[in-house]
Amino acid sequence: MTSHKTDLVIIGAGPAGLFSIFEAGMLKIKTHVIDTLEIIGGQCCALYPEKPIYDIPAHPKVLASELIELLEAQAAPFHPTYHLNQRVEKISKATVGDFEDETSKNTKIKCKAIIIAAGCGAFGPNRPPLENIEKFEGKSVFYSIRSKAEFTNKNVVIAGGGDSAVDWAISLAEICKKVYVVHRRDKFRCAPESASKLKQLHEEKKIELVIPFQLDGLEGSNGKLSSVLVKDFDGNIKKIEADYLLPFFGLAMELGPILDWNLNLNKNHIEVNPTTMQTSQNGIYAIGDIATYQNKLKLILTGFAESATACHDIYKIIFPNQLFHFEYSTSKGSPIES
Ligand SMILES: Cc1cc2nc3c(=O)[nH]c(=O)nc-3n(C[C@H](O)[C@H](O)[C@H](O)COP(=O)(O)OP(=O)(O)OC[C@H]3O[C@@H](n4cnc5c(N)ncnc54)[C@H](O)[C@@H]3O)c2cc1C
């Protein structure tokens, strides 16, 4: 068990959670951030990293993964502590304004306030039912990609037929020794232009399409993969020499433990007072996709504004005896400059 103490715990490292690190930091509020995924970025990185977003103010066009890199850089001067790959299971209140969060990895964090920026709930990858896959996970089998560089000059098997599988196959084809795409149908569920690009790279022999096949087994030792076995519908097995397997079978999303935290809910969303973003419990706030109120817009930019509203209200909890003077970042400056 590891224990920590901080001012504010942010549950969810999607865009709303990440921007809260910055907003809190500007108010001298210290933060710890927890996410179920092994990477930060929430839906942006887990579901559509290579897609351009057009409605972020002052960014006519920005890739979802780039937006997350920028948010991470903006938050970095405030030295947040990230606890990834673990789900918050329990929130308990020791005394008023004194909470404890407990995660699936037995991390306990004492804090004075909580922001729930949990999107549609905790993400978890849909794992292929392969024997011993857990021995390779995190070493040769990844369900999400943070840095492409690791795959340079490697043989990579991507499994799946949706946007993530196709987008990553196209992107990794530039740097890998060989990319194989294993899919059980000959049609891909992705944007038509991505499907055409995949076909073109296949014709150019930069990607090998292994269709219609399904994953059947893994070979290797000590977490290091040597080959991936695939099977067609007649039971014929084929062996693909591989350094990495990237299964992209979508993500399961579930509110999970959030349902048990005694908060007022409305159709699986957390009800908040939109003037403060506080939930039905003092000291617990909700922002981003998970928060609901009248005329709520589920957009990234809404989550950004909500994080500012929440952090300004949380200031009163963290510094109860200090008068709050509203200041612009231009007048107050930022640690990046100092
Ligand atoms: C394909 C697609 C395209 C989109 N395009 C746009 C667009 O162009 N413009 C736009 O504004 N929006 C767009 N969106 C919506 C946008 O991505 C969401 O509004 C945004 O991601 C919400 O951010 P968030 O931080 O609230 O939550 P999320 O991004 O959902 O992140 C929440 C995080 O919380 C974590 N979490 C949940 N429960 C727990 C728990 N108990 N413990 C630990 N971690 C937990 C999850 O694992 C997740 O990582 C798009 C969405 C999709 C799917």
Side-chain angles (χ1 to χ4, degrees), residues 14-317:
L18 292 177
F19 192 60
S20 302
I21 305 168
F22 172 82
E23 281 296 323
M26 290 295 277
L27 297 169
K28 300 197 167 22
I29 299 171
K30 293 191 281 300
T31 51
H32 279 230
V33 187
I34 310 167
D35 203 294
T36 335
L37 291 176
E38 56 200 2
I39 54 166
I40 62 167
Q43 292 175 50
C44 292
C45 286
L47 300 181
Y48 58 107
E50 299 289 297
K51 286 205 188 310
I53 307 178
Y54 300 94
D55 56 355
I56 302 298
H59 290 277
K61 182 177 171 185
V62 59
L63 285 187
S65 54
E66 279 169 5
L67 175 69
I68 297 305
E69 278 167 23
L70 292 168
L71 285 167
E72 186 182 17
Q74 195 173 19
F78 301 104
H79 308 294
T81 305
Y82 292 102
H83 305 271
L84 298 180
N85 215 359
Q86 46 197 305
R87 184 168 90 160
V88 179
E89 299 294 340
K90 214 166 115 189
I91 294 179
S92 48
K93 197 169 183 178
T95 53
V96 176
D98 192 3
F99 298 97
E100 192 166 74
D101 300 66
E102 208 175 312
T103 78
S104 49
K105 284 203 176 156
N106 223 355
T107 306
K108 286 194 177 178
I109 310 173
K110 273 193 192 306
C111 62
K112 296 216 154 21
I114 296 171
I115 288 182
I116 304 173
C120 336
F123 282 126
N126 288 323
R127 294 180 157 79
L130 298 176
E131 207 179 315
N132 290 334
I133 191 164
E134 65 287 347
K135 295 195 173 139
F136 296 94
E137 286 172 347
K139 292 178 188 138
S140 307
V141 173
F142 294 100
Y143 300 98
S144 50
I145 297 173
R146 182 68 179 140
S147 159
K148 277 168 48 172
E150 181 169 3
F151 306 105
T152 307
N153 288 329
K154 301 288 183 193
N155 288 321
V156 174
V157 174
I158 292 179
D163 276 311
S164 301
V166 175
D167 288 353
W168 277 118
I170 294 169
S171 176
L172 290 177
E174 291 164 16
I175 56 161
C176 288
K177 191 166 166 193
K178 181 109 192 216
V179 173
Y180 300 86
V181 178
V182 178
H183 184 38
R184 63 182 195 278
R185 294 193 194 95
D186 55 3
K187 286 232 160 31
F188 287 84
R189 287 170 287 102
C190 62
E193 51 282 14
S194 307
S196 314
K197 180 81 184 161
L198 184 74
K199 202 165 156 243
Q200 182 200 327
L201 289 168
H202 172 61
E203 280 157 12
E204 290 168 5
K205 302 211 178 325
K206 291 188 178 144
I207 288 178
E208 186 171 327
L209 297 179
V210 187
I211 47 179
F213 273 90
Q214 296 192 67
L215 296 176
D216 193 58
L218 303 175
E219 289 181 345
S221 57
N222 299 327
K224 196 165 168 1
L225 207 58
S226 56
S227 48
V228 173
L229 305 176
V230 294
K231 188 159 83 174
D232 69 10
F233 293 110
D234 298 324
N236 299 313
I237 306 259
K238 186 170 159 167
K239 193 190 244 198
I240 307 171
E241 273 183 31
D243 301 297
Y244 292 99
L245 169 67
L246 308 174
F248 291 120
F249 295 124
L251 292 167
M253 285 179 233
E254 49 167 33
L255 271 195
I258 296 175
L259 294 169
D260 305 323
W261 294 346
N262 278 331
L263 304 168
N264 283 358
L265 299 177
N266 184 349
K267 295 189 187 133
N268 278 348
H269 291 80
I270 302 173
E271 283 186 347
V272 294
N273 170 354
T275 65
T276 58
M277 302 311 291
Q278 186 158 256
T279 66
S280 51
Q281 282 203 44
N282 284 345
I284 304 183
Y285 295 73
I287 62 167
D289 278 13
I290 192 103
T292 189
Y293 47 86
Q294 203 181 357
N295 292 336
K296 160 85 182 195
L297 283 179
K298 275 195 187 180
L299 285 174
I300 294 169
L301 62 87
T302 319
F304 290 163
E306 291 169 353
S307 78
T309 303
C311 289
H312 281 79
D313 207 62
I314 289 168
Y315 182 87
K316 292 182 243 160
I317 299 175

